Amino acid sequence: MRKPMHLKRSAVIGVLVGTMAVTETSASAATPVQVFIAGDSTASTYVSSQAPRVGWGQALPVFLTSSAVAVNAAQSGASSKSFADQGRLDRILAQLKRGDYLLISFGHNDEKKEDPARYTEPSTTYKSYLSQYIDKSRAKGAKPVLVTSVERRRFTSTGTISPTHGAYPAAMRQLAAAKGVPLVDLTTSSTALFNRAGVEGTKKYFMHLKAGQYPNYPNGVEDNTHFQAAGAIEVARLVATALRNQGVLPSTSFRRLTATIPPNAIVWPTSTQ
């Protein structure tokens, strides 16, 4: 007995719809989420002519699986104010898609009272600028995450890290609580990391290079703010572990969180756009 024509058509339509649904689901699953990083020189990407200097945002990809891709928009010298005022936040917003993430980490340069183009006051303008990042990324359907500033290598006479960021980390913590935004307290976790490593042990994390050790720095350098590969990797590990442990991103987005990562895992591009 032959089936009525309308039943045949319904069956065909059902197969087509089902196939389309599977295809769309597969395509969605195959598309990685983007993890944008808005920050300063401690996070930014450095080119091969600046190696071994590395930002933690440049090192973050070593801890991400194929389901997440880091888009490092951090800019050396930027504060929450100058980054937004120069249109860099708008450039991120133009690329943000629903379900993407925006890591927001400023404070080092917000402290510069001598520079009105960058300075923000912790309890007022700092929070106001950070709120722009939060509100505008949420309006795009993305998920903002606040990241307090990584600590500098500055030790007290007793050999413990001395805080250098004043009221800015506390202000960011307050804003995160007020706006219901996930917080990676990198100030606290990096302080603990550097205290464990100690005065001498932290030199391998920061740009403490001897004369002749690296061709790009023939005279050597002692920089207690910026990282070489070992330091950037460990700070990026702190960020990635916090994002995983807090469930900000699914655990499938991360890899090698407890593994030893060699410096050559870092990629130094020949130029940045």
Side-chain angles (χ1 to χ4, degrees):
M1 179 176 171
R2 298 179 63 184
K3 293 183 179 180
M5 186 60 69
H6 73 278
L7 291 179
K8 289 184 179 181
R9 287 176 180 171
S10 297
V12 171
I13 292 172
V15 170
L16 288 173
V17 170
T19 303
M20 289 171 63
V22 170
T23 302
E24 288 177 2
T25 300
S26 299
S28 176
T31 303
V33 296
Q34 299 180 102
V35 182
F36 286 84
I37 302 155
D40 53 42
S41 60
T42 61
S44 60
T45 295
Y46 295 92
V47 296
S48 55
S49 62
Q50 297 169 298
R53 184 162 162 171
V54 188
W56 63 258
Q58 185 175 357
L60 188 61
V62 304
F63 297 109
L64 298 179
T65 65
S66 59
S67 65
V69 58
V71 184
N72 192 10
Q75 175 68 23
S76 291
S79 71
S80 63
K81 171 179 167 60
S82 67
F83 193 95
D85 289 351
Q86 291 170 5
R88 296 183 182 278
L89 172 58
D90 289 336
R91 293 177 208 171
I92 291 175
L93 294 171
Q95 301 174 67
L96 270 180
K97 303 190 305 295
R98 180 170 297 277
D100 285 343
Y101 297 82
L102 176 59
L103 308 187
I104 308 156
S105 186
F106 294 100
H108 277 84
N109 299 302
D110 288 74
E111 304 169 6
K112 300 184 183 296
K113 288 186 177 181
E114 72 280 5
D115 186 355
R118 292 189 286 180
Y119 176 67
T120 61
E121 195 281 325
S123 63
T124 57
T125 47
Y126 181 57
K127 288 183 177 180
S128 177
Y129 270 98
L130 292 178
S131 293
Q132 289 188 36
Y133 294 75
I134 294 168
D135 297 342
K136 291 180 178 181
S137 60
R138 278 177 164 170
K140 295 280 292 188
K143 303 171 185 179
V145 182
L146 290 172
V147 182
T148 60
S149 294
V150 62
E151 194 48 83
R152 297 181 175 95
R153 183 185 174 274
R154 186 175 298 175
F155 286 89
T156 66
S157 59
T158 59
T160 58
I161 285 290
S162 177
T164 65
H165 296 303
Y168 290 89
M172 183 178 278
R173 294 180 194 113
Q174 292 165 4
L175 183 65
K179 296 185 79 69
V181 177
L183 175 79
V184 173
D185 195 344
L186 189 57
T187 304
T188 297
S189 60
S190 63
T191 296
L193 171 68
F194 301 154
N195 277 331
R196 289 194 299 271
V199 175
E200 290 302 315
T202 48
K203 289 181 179 179
K204 68 182 179 183
Y205 293 158
F206 289 83
M207 287 287 287
H208 274 244
L209 311 177
K210 296 177 181 178
Q213 186 178 358
Y214 287 94
N216 291 333
Y217 303 87
N219 298 320
V221 64
E222 290 188 5
D223 179 344
N224 293 310
T225 298
H226 301 102
F227 307 111
Q228 53 181 305
I233 287 168
E234 292 311 312
V235 173
R237 191 195 304 274
L238 294 176
V239 174
T241 300
L243 293 173
R244 192 278 308 271
N245 288 351
Q246 295 182 40
V248 178
L249 275 79
S251 59
T252 52
S253 299
F254 301 100
R255 59 177 179 157
R256 302 195 289 181
L257 289 180
T258 60
T260 299
I261 308 295
N264 62 11
I266 299 295
V267 175
W268 283 273
T270 55
S271 64
T272 56
Q273 297 187 7

